[in-house]
Amino acid sequence: QAQLVESGGGSVQAGGSLRLSCAASGYPYTSYCMGWFRQVPGKEREGIAAIDSDGSTYYADSVKGRFTISKDNTKNTLYLQMNRLKLEDSAMYYCASDSRYWCGDGRYSESAYDDWGQGTQVTVSS
């Protein structure tokens, strides 16, 4: 059964770091466009980072310079390294996979992605 499973979330103080992982199984997800999204209660899911099949990366302004998306095709795993975390980074984080090789203009759009993980919670405190 094809699935995406996130891990690595937790509680951290502002300024700290966390590394999220998204383990993919049953399908070569990392060979295609993948992305990271986050959501806080009462708000829409926000696309924050995406990576093409060739490893090209894209970042929303809110995380640019602090977060790094990467992948290991041999492990079929997607990562999100989060540094200099801020209070406003607190959210449920989701990985997602698109069936296209190139993320394109819809790279931050929830509707562009086909498969989703269950999410991992990140809480940043002062």
Side-chain angles (χ1 to χ4, degrees):
Q1 181 180 354
Q3 64 176 350
L4 300 170
V5 180
E6 301 95 335
S7 62
S11 298
V12 64
Q13 286 191 321
S17 299
L18 280 175
R19 188 194 196 200
L20 305 184
S21 297
C22 172
S25 61
Y27 187 78
Y29 285 111
T30 56
S31 295
Y32 301 90
C33 165
M34 295 193 76
W36 284 100
F37 287 72
R38 65 186 182 186
Q39 188 172 26
V40 297
K43 291 190 176 182
E44 292 186 354
R45 197 167 292 189
E46 175 193 14
I48 57 173
I51 185 166
D52 284 335
S53 60
D54 68 351
S56 298
T57 58
Y58 309 90
Y59 300 95
D61 289 341
S62 57
V63 305
K64 193 174 297 182
R66 300 187 299 120
F67 291 10
T68 302
I69 186 172
S70 63
K71 62 179 179 175
D72 185 335
N73 288 339
T74 64
K75 296 181 179 179
N76 207 16
T77 301
L78 180 72
Y79 302 99
L80 185 68
Q81 177 67 44
M82 305 187 294
N83 298 328
R84 292 185 281 137
L85 283 160
K86 303 177 181 180
L87 297 177
E88 53 264 41
D89 293 321
S90 294
M92 184 71 78
Y93 282 72
Y94 300 88
C95 66
S97 178
D98 188 341
S99 58
R100 301 171 299 170
Y101 286 112
W102 316 114
C103 298
D105 292 340
R107 60 180 68 100
Y108 303 128
S109 174
E110 185 178 358
S111 62
Y113 292 81
D114 304 304
D115 296 309
W116 295 81
Q118 84 291 345
T120 186
Q121 179 69 40
V122 172
T123 302
V124 184
S125 60
S126 59

